[in-house]
Amino acid sequence: MNELPIVVTCTDRKTSPPEATLQARALPKTGLAERAVEWARRLHAVPGPRIALEDLYQGDQWRRAQALTKAASQAGFVPRLYVASAGLGLRPVSSLAPSYAATFLPRHADSVASSSAQATDWWDHLQRMDGSCQLPQIAAAAGRALVVLSETYAAAMHRDLAALAATGTETVLIGGACELDGIVRVPANAALRHALGGTRTSLNVRMAASWLEHCTPGHLITPSARTRWSDWVEQVARPERYERRPMTDEAVIDFIEQSKDSHPGSSRTRLLRLLRDQGMACEQKRFANLYTATIGPR
């Protein structure tokens, strides 16, 4: 059947707000194992509707992730899309869940871990929940996998990725955190943004779509496809030049106030990154002071 499991990361933007109890910031300040057990209990017990994950997430990154299934079909595969979530573990996008707020991003209000080691342990707890899938088994059953992960999520899932590499399954990792013997890794490359368009947050999924376009039909990895990819990258890559426009304090404050509504729960660091992705300039300490004056300490 030429099935291709595709794993992508979730997004912090949801189509409905989570209940207060399903925000990681509301978990008790106990040990990680206790918090993980409590989180699983709340996911199961919270009232209200469950939403298919494909309809729960939103934003450019998620739209691009969903579009990978079309690119995979055109490349001769039968795609199966899975989402890696700091709140749910690894699940098919057809599975149902309540809205929630949880992330591996450090210093975020709803971060579930304060270090890479904690993130890895939290992920292991998530994978014991009902409904979570095991990446090595999914990939081994299909004989291949396309995994598209940010550095943060790849670090949290390192044990799963190492186990996947050990199976010898044909796997391409777009983005990721490190090289693994047995997996073809294509690191995130900001120099491709000019050719692929979009923001940095959607770069990995855009690169994954391009990889599929360069594939030999029905084959995820071939020498000729890798050569076509390398030649294309060499032709189109353009190192980014940061020529950002300066902003007044008033303009920065306006941006912060608008962003807290459009990106609820986002950390100060993430908002500064969004501002800079729009070609604007603001020194980190100055942004921190304006953020605190506008929203308060977080």
Side-chain angles (χ1 to χ4, degrees):
M1 187 172 66
N2 224 20
E3 180 177 334
L4 176 63
I6 302 173
V7 176
V8 297
T9 54
C10 66
T11 70
D12 60 354
R13 296 185 62 189
K14 310 292 195 302
T15 54
S16 62
E19 296 286 339
T21 56
L22 280 186
Q23 299 179 55
R25 71 187 73 182
L27 286 171
K29 306 300 182 183
T30 56
L32 186 143
E34 291 80 7
R35 285 189 288 115
V37 170
E38 175 61 14
W39 179 257
R41 187 196 68 78
R42 292 183 183 191
L43 279 173
H44 178 74
V46 68
R50 267 59 176 166
I51 306 170
L53 298 186
E54 58 193 341
D55 299 321
L56 176 61
Y57 305 113
Q58 63 177 342
D60 178 62
Q61 178 187 348
W62 185 244
R63 289 192 298 272
R64 293 291 172 177
Q66 290 179 300
L68 281 179
T69 58
K70 181 178 180 180
S73 296
Q74 292 174 339
F77 299 104
V78 178
R80 299 284 184 265
L81 189 61
Y82 296 80
V83 60
S85 159
L88 303 172
L90 181 64
R91 304 198 182 195
V93 296
S94 59
S95 63
L96 304 178
S99 185
Y100 66 94
T103 181
F104 288 121
L105 290 174
R107 296 181 298 279
H108 190 287
D110 291 307
S111 181
V112 296
S114 58
S115 67
S116 293
Q118 280 195 2
T120 302
D121 289 343
W122 179 270
W123 179 259
D124 288 347
H125 283 287
L126 290 178
Q127 290 303 88
R128 300 184 193 120
M129 293 195 309
D130 292 342
S132 294
C133 302
Q134 304 301 316
L135 177 57
Q137 287 85 338
I138 290 171
R144 64 188 64 82
L146 176 61
V147 184
V148 189
L149 298 175
S150 67
E151 181 177 352
T152 302
Y153 275 73
M157 296 171 63
H158 181 75
R159 290 173 187 150
D160 279 7
L161 291 171
L164 171 58
T167 67
T169 301
E170 185 180 59
T171 303
V172 174
L173 171 62
I174 306 291
C178 64
E179 304 296 331
L180 290 164
D181 289 340
I183 291 179
V184 174
R185 181 185 175 220
V186 183
N189 185 351
L192 297 179
R193 282 184 66 193
H194 176 79
L196 298 175
T199 64
R200 284 195 175 188
T201 55
S202 65
L203 176 61
N204 284 343
V205 289
R206 291 170 186 267
M207 287 178 58
S210 184
W211 177 273
L212 290 169
E213 291 170 0
H214 287 85
C215 280
T216 301
H219 298 275
L220 189 61
I221 306 169
T222 62
S224 59
R226 295 179 73 168
T227 298
R228 286 194 296 273
W229 170 264
S230 298
D231 290 346
W232 176 76
V233 169
E234 185 176 350
Q235 291 172 8
V236 304
R238 292 189 184 180
E240 291 193 315
R241 296 180 179 178
Y242 296 103
E243 298 177 352
R244 299 189 178 104
R245 299 185 299 278
M247 302 176 70
T248 64
D249 285 356
E250 291 76 13
V252 175
I253 291 170
D254 285 345
F255 171 85
I256 293 170
E257 289 178 337
Q258 293 173 16
S259 297
K260 71 178 182 181
D261 295 327
S262 57
H263 300 277
S266 290
S267 66
R268 184 186 71 213
T269 301
R270 173 166 168 73
L271 291 187
L272 177 57
R273 186 167 62 248
L274 289 171
L275 181 143
R276 289 174 170 173
D277 281 348
Q278 295 178 15
M280 310 306 290
C282 185
E283 189 268 333
Q284 185 173 4
K285 184 176 181 180
R286 174 177 168 236
F287 187 87
N289 291 336
L290 292 172
Y291 180 95
T292 300
T294 306
I295 294 182
R298 287 280 179 97

